[in-house]
Amino acid sequence: MSADVVESGTVAGRLSFLDRFLAVWILAAMAAGLGLGRLVPGLGDALAKVTVTGVSLPIALGLLVMMYPVLAKVRYDRLDTVTRDRRLLVPSLVLNWVVGPALMFALAWVFLPDLPEYRTGLIIVGLARCIAMVIIWNDLACGDREAAAVLVALNSAFQVVAFGLLGWFYLSVLPGRLGLEQTVLDVSVWEIARSVLVFLGVPLLAGLLTRRLGERAKGRTWYETKLIPRIGPFALYGLLFTIVVLFALQGDAITSQPLDVARIALPLLVYFALMWAGSMAVGRAAGLEYPKATTLAFTAAGNNFELAIAVAIATFGATSGQALAGVVGPLIEVPVLIGLVYVALAARRYFPQPNTAPEPVAAQEGSARV
């Protein structure tokens, strides 16, 4: 929901039925996925048979459906103002490529010193910076869509170049220097680039073409007030579908190994909380307005679980502890970051607000925002 709706106190009247009970639907999707994975024999294997860049095809489709409406809402003619904002770009690069991997490395060794497979899986998750689901969290929290598009694209470019090097550093070089156990990560640049092209390139191109062709054919007013409200809800449909499939794929493993999942979940909870809160504090200290500070926080806290899972499976096997740790990542990220969406909305009063006119009401309805 947009700022004027929040501040007017008429949230219930403006939100769609889906938006109003979003947290309920997400919890229900998680429960449904766990139930299906536990009760339907062979479902996980069936869902995992066909993959796209190492990720189950149903998950890939859900992610693409989820991201497309949000990227279709981006005002691509405003991107140049974001690329000139060093108060946003510099902290984002530092948080994503210096602080995030280092923090996950430290937490993995602190919480899992006796479980090397899970520890390695968590470190891989920390190296994979978010380029997909963060688009949804940012939009739900009323973050800056244009800033999110730029930061996600920036993360994607760095990911292709830096993922393999950081994996070598955090799994082999740094542990060796500290006298800790070393691990070798064998991942190609093409594998990473392919993941980026599929999970960001396809929906980004589709969103850009939709806006350009739609505005050219019928004008911006029609595009914002007619088309966007129609396609907006599909972002949440895709999110809920993805959550069901994710939990169904690992439903049996999660319910049969609850203690292992809990051990993996604890450092992830600490990681998401510290990265998000720290990034919001950095944004506030840098004088960023609420939308950009929120975008900074969610892009720094989220992780690219598609890439992490694909790398873990390709390197260590589908049944490995590293793969399980990669899968637990989004299972913890989903409920934690949806909770942080509400925290962000509650904290917006403490941030400078943008001096822009509100969007047309018709464009806000059905926008798939909390």
Side-chain angles (χ1 to χ4, degrees):
M1 59 190 168
S2 56
D4 55 323
V5 176
V6 175
E7 293 168 0
S8 67
T10 60
V11 174
R14 298 295 183 110
L15 291 180
S16 69
F17 182 72
L18 178 65
D19 292 341
R20 195 177 308 167
F21 299 101
L22 176 62
V24 175
W25 307 139
I26 287 180
L27 291 174
M30 293 164 62
L34 282 174
L36 286 171
R38 185 69 176 178
L39 299 175
V40 181
L43 178 62
D45 292 336
L47 291 173
K49 275 187 177 179
V50 182
T51 64
V52 176
T53 69
V55 177
S56 167
L57 177 60
I59 292 179
L61 292 176
L63 289 169
L64 294 176
V65 171
M66 176 187 74
M67 293 176 65
Y68 163 66
V70 182
L71 291 171
K73 296 175 186 176
V74 171
R75 288 284 300 275
Y76 292 93
D77 54 342
R78 294 178 179 173
L79 295 184
D80 60 332
T81 62
V82 178
T83 57
R84 294 196 300 265
D85 192 347
R86 293 188 177 181
R87 295 182 305 163
L88 176 66
L89 297 182
V90 173
S92 178
L93 289 174
V94 172
L95 288 166
N96 273 287
W97 297 103
V98 179
V99 177
L103 177 60
M104 189 68 90
F105 173 84
L107 292 173
W109 274 99
V110 168
F111 285 95
L112 302 171
D114 57 329
L115 297 171
E117 290 190 358
Y118 296 156
R119 184 178 65 237
T120 298
L122 280 186
I123 293 173
I124 293 173
V125 170
L127 300 178
R129 312 313 301 168
C130 198
I131 65 170
M133 199 169 282
V134 68
I135 297 286
I136 279 285
W137 308 134
N138 179 73
D139 208 50
L140 290 171
C142 299
D144 188 313
R145 290 188 188 123
E146 288 69 39
V150 169
L151 295 186
V152 164
L154 197 61
N155 275 346
S156 300
F158 268 79
Q159 200 146 238
V160 172
V161 176
F163 185 91
L165 291 175
L166 288 175
W168 169 70
F169 177 76
Y170 281 107
L171 292 175
S172 182
V173 176
L174 185 57
R177 294 288 180 88
L178 298 176
L180 303 172
E181 183 180 348
Q182 297 171 281
T183 305
V184 176
L185 183 64
D186 183 17
V187 57
S188 69
V189 172
W190 165 240
E191 185 177 355
I192 301 167
R194 186 176 56 184
S195 176
V196 169
L197 287 173
V198 171
F199 294 111
L200 176 63
V202 171
L204 183 61
L205 179 61
L208 174 62
L209 289 176
T210 300
R211 178 170 281 278
R212 290 285 170 83
L213 296 177
E215 289 188 352
R216 185 178 300 173
K218 296 204 172 183
R220 177 162 294 175
T221 299
W222 173 86
Y223 186 88
E224 298 283 353
T225 61
K226 299 295 183 182
L227 183 60
I228 288 299
R230 290 181 182 177
I231 65 176
F234 283 91
L236 288 187
Y237 301 152
L239 172 64
L240 295 175
F241 175 78
T242 303
I243 291 171
V244 171
V245 177
L246 270 173
F247 277 70
L249 275 169
Q250 292 292 328
D252 185 63
I254 293 167
T255 54
S256 63
Q257 304 177 61
L259 293 180
D260 286 355
V261 171
R263 289 285 304 272
I264 298 169
L266 187 55
L268 284 169
L269 286 170
V270 176
Y271 172 84
F272 291 132
L274 289 179
M275 283 299 294
W276 187 87
S279 300
M280 285 291 276
V282 168
R284 182 69 178 84
L288 295 177
E289 297 173 340
Y290 170 81
K292 287 187 176 180
T294 299
T295 300
L296 177 67
F298 280 101
T299 52
N303 291 89
N304 184 355
F305 67 84
E306 308 93 345
L307 177 60
I309 293 171
V311 169
I313 290 175
T315 306
F316 303 102
T319 59
S320 65
Q322 291 89 341
L324 177 61
V327 170
V328 172
L331 305 188
I332 302 302
E333 178 178 332
V334 167
V336 170
L337 291 192
I338 191 61
L340 290 174
V341 166
Y342 288 96
V343 175
L345 291 171
R348 66 192 307 162
R349 70 190 68 177
Y350 302 109
F351 287 80
Q353 300 301 315
N355 296 317
T356 57
E359 299 174 5
V361 171
Q364 297 159 5
E365 296 172 354
S367 63
R369 281 188 165 179
V370 175

